[in-house]
Each structure stands twice: as C-alpha cells, then as structure tokens.
Amino acid sequence: MKGPLFYAKILLFGEYGIIKDSKGLAIPYNSYKGALKSAKNLTGEAKKSNESLAKFYNYLTNLNAEIVSFDLKSLESDIKSGMYFDSSIPQGYGVGSSGALVASIYDKYALDKITVLENLTRDKLLILKEIFSLMESFFHGKSSGLDPLNSYLSIPILINSKENIEATGIPSQKEGKGAVFLLDSEQIGETEPMITIFMNKMKNEGFRKMLSEEFSTRTDLCIEDFLQGNIKSLFSNVKELSKVVFANFKPMIPQAFHKVWEKGIQTNDYYLKLCGSGGGGYILGFTEDFEKAKNSLKDYKLELVYRF
C-alpha cells in the first residue's frame, strides 16, 4: 500500500497573528513530502510512526461525528497491518509535518470527504479548516487547521480572518536576485511551549496593543505587497516586521540567532522572521540579493523557497 503524496507548507506571513484573527498567507513547499505506506516488519522511524498512528486512531474515535467521521474499521486494520507515515518533512521545523499526516489520514479514511476537485467555496474551506483543526489538535494542543488544509489542497491559501479564507494565486517566480529562503537553526522547535508563551504574553495589554497595531498591520501590508508583486514596498515592510518580531517575540527566536537577526536589519543583506511558531526549526528569510545573503550567512544552511 502506498498513499498519495502530501507536501510541506510554509506560512509566509501570519504566524501567531492568525490565532488572533489577522491575515496570513500559506504556500505549499514541495521540497518535502510524506505518504502513508505499510510494511510487515517495522523498525526505527517507521515503528515510531506506526505507534503514533495507533494513538491518533484512539483520539479520532472520540471526535465529534457530526463534524467528521472516519472509516475507523479500515484505519484500525491498516495500522495493525503495519501502516506508517513515510515522510521527509522535518519534525519541529515549522513546515507542517503533522499537517501532511493529518491531510493523508483525512484523504484516505474520512467519510463524505470534501475533495480537491470540487468547487471550493468559502464555506467548504471553513468546514475543512475546522475538521483539520480538530484532528491536528492531537499533536499540538491547539491548531488553526491551516497546515493540513494547505497540505491537503496543495495551493496557496490566503487567510483574511478566522471566518474568511480563500484559495489564492501568488505571482510566478522570476529569475531575479531577490529570494525567500529558509535558514536552518539546526535545533528542534516545539509548538506547544511556544503557543503557551504567546498566550501568557496575550494577558499583557501592551502586548495585545502591539499585536493589533504593529504586528498585524505590518503583516497585512506584507501580504498585500507580496500578492501584488510590489517588491520594493514588500522589503521595506518585511524589514519593519522583522524589527517588531525581534522586539516582541524574543523567546521564540533561538538565542544563537539574536545577533544574526539584528545583523540582517542593520546591513539590509536579509531580513528574518519566524517560520511557524519558532523556538527552533527553520527561520524564514527575505532578501533583495540572494548571493549577498548567502555570503553574509555563509556559516549557515540555507534553502531557497521562492525567487523574485
């Protein structure tokens, strides 16, 4: 048995803000992917994945059947027969490893599923997002449902607010100097502790004010610029966003990268922002000159995501 492939995702803009109803933009990232497979004798990662699927199965048996129901008999039987999720998506890196797994389980076992081939109205997207949010909460404690949605549909998704999401197109890549890239922190980030830190910060009125006035406003401008191809304005807004994140989200930025983050803002060689919840994994970078950024960050591993 081998299921269809589901890809990683990158939330270009909107981390943390989307929890509080500001805009977000997520795109598929096809360099990493996963699929359901099965084997008779499981060892190592495959065995761990199979054990995790057994726990996930128990969780799914208790989900609200009015919202989503599964062919649990087949799922249980397949897990017992050695099913696992074979994935190249790094875990704890902010690129949607659990999202791809959730999408693959929904695709194979959900009854009355909404398919990618349908006319995806806003209502259908919201239903899918709600289902995926419930499913993925097993892994993170609280999930927006966006990672699995992106992985399942494999198209860019624009989040206008919790109740307003749409499939969108992004400008096609050009052979320009500018780029979006991933910077590997070489440490695992855990989503749940980061969300806890964020929720505690939200109790502070000053932080809430900063989130709605500075962070969300700047994020919305970045998304608008990106979708419309206003590159000059995009970089000026990304720089400001990088400053806001550095000033207010320090616990989410690995200590070893504080100086690297500041260096980008000071030299304009690149600007960094969180990729997912932070705390490790990938850091997202934007640069007007990828060669210059590579030179400036020559001690680190970079992966190209998108060219301007």
Side-chain angles (χ1 to χ4, degrees):
M1 179 197 101
K2 187 176 186 305
L5 289 170
F6 289 91
Y7 295 100
K9 75 88 197 52
I10 290 173
L11 186 62
L12 275 188
F13 299 104
E15 69 291 341
Y16 290 107
I18 55 171
I19 296 176
K20 290 292 148 204
D21 238 12
S22 69
K23 282 190 174 183
L25 177 64
I27 61 168
Y29 184 48
N30 297 355
S31 295
Y32 295 119
K33 51 197 167 290
L36 290 170
K37 289 185 183 173
S38 60
K40 290 226 166 14
N41 300 311
L42 298 176
T43 55
E45 286 303 311
K47 191 170 190 295
K48 270 204 310 216
S49 170
N50 176 263
E51 286 162 3
S52 170
L53 279 176
K55 290 177 189 154
F56 190 37
Y57 162 80
N58 289 333
Y59 172 81
L60 294 178
T61 58
N62 295 312
L63 277 193
N64 184 343
E66 283 173 29
I67 297 169
V68 62
S69 51
F70 299 93
D71 178 356
L72 292 168
K73 215 176 194 159
S74 297
L75 175 56
E76 185 182 28
S77 154
D78 289 347
I79 292 168
K80 283 180 175 163
S81 305
M83 184 169 77
Y84 65 100
F85 191 59
D86 182 29
S87 169
S88 66
I89 306 169
Q91 292 187 354
Y93 261 65
V95 286
S97 57
S98 59
L101 166 59
V102 165
S104 67
I105 293 289
Y106 176 82
D107 179 64
K108 187 162 170 58
Y109 299 100
L111 304 170
D112 302 323
K113 69 176 183 185
I114 295 169
T115 72
V116 184
L117 302 171
E118 293 174 37
N119 171 19
L120 290 167
T121 60
R122 187 174 294 171
D123 285 350
K124 282 182 187 170
L125 286 173
L126 284 173
I127 291 165
L128 272 174
K129 183 171 173 286
E130 184 187 4
I131 289 168
F132 289 145
S133 163
L134 283 173
M135 290 175 72
E136 200 184 31
S137 292
F138 168 76
F139 298 97
H140 296 319
K142 184 174 170 51
S143 159
S144 67
L146 248 176
D147 287 9
L149 182 66
N150 199 278
S151 192
Y152 183 62
L153 301 175
S154 213
I155 46 179
I157 290 165
L158 174 63
I159 304 99
N160 294 302
S161 69
K162 280 197 180 96
E163 298 306 315
N164 181 354
I165 55 176
E166 56 187 297
T168 187
I170 58 174
S172 53
Q173 299 198 44
K174 298 183 174 60
E175 286 303 312
K177 280 183 163 184
V180 180
F181 61 90
L182 293 172
L183 165 61
D184 190 346
S185 74
E186 299 196 35
Q187 47 185 291
I188 303 269
E190 290 203 22
T191 301
E192 212 165 332
M194 295 296 120
I195 301 274
T196 305
I197 292 170
F198 175 75
M199 289 307 189
N200 285 332
K201 279 177 168 283
M202 284 300 288
K203 293 171 186 165
N204 176 314
E205 195 189 332
F207 185 83
R208 288 199 305 273
K209 194 167 187 281
M210 174 283 302
L211 199 73
S212 64
E213 290 177 12
E214 294 176 62
F215 182 83
S216 295
T217 307
R218 199 59 72 178
T219 296
D220 292 359
L221 289 169
C222 286
I223 290 172
E224 208 169 297
D225 286 340
F226 184 84
L227 291 177
Q228 289 173 4
N230 302 331
I231 303 305
K232 202 163 179 48
S233 172
L234 171 69
F235 280 101
S236 126
N237 280 315
V238 169
K239 180 177 184 175
E240 293 309 313
L241 183 60
S242 185
K243 286 183 193 167
V244 170
V245 173
F246 189 70
N248 298 283
F249 289 83
K250 273 218 181 69
M252 287 78 166
I253 302 168
Q255 189 69 42
F257 288 85
H258 287 192
K259 289 228 165 10
V260 181
W261 197 291
E262 281 186 297
K263 181 186 166 190
I265 293 167
Q266 284 155 6
T267 60
N268 297 315
D269 287 353
Y270 56 86
Y271 307 121
L272 300 179
K273 62 180 290 299
L274 296 174
C275 179
S277 55
Y282 287 120
I283 295 166
L284 204 50
F286 286 75
T287 177
E288 292 186 80
D289 186 335
F290 191 46
E291 289 311 311
K292 195 188 266 186
K294 277 200 291 196
N295 190 38
S296 198
L297 294 163
K298 61 181 180 296
D299 299 333
Y300 301 94
K301 285 189 209 159
L302 306 188
E303 285 179 39
L304 182 66
V305 173
Y306 183 92
R307 291 294 316 223
F308 295 106

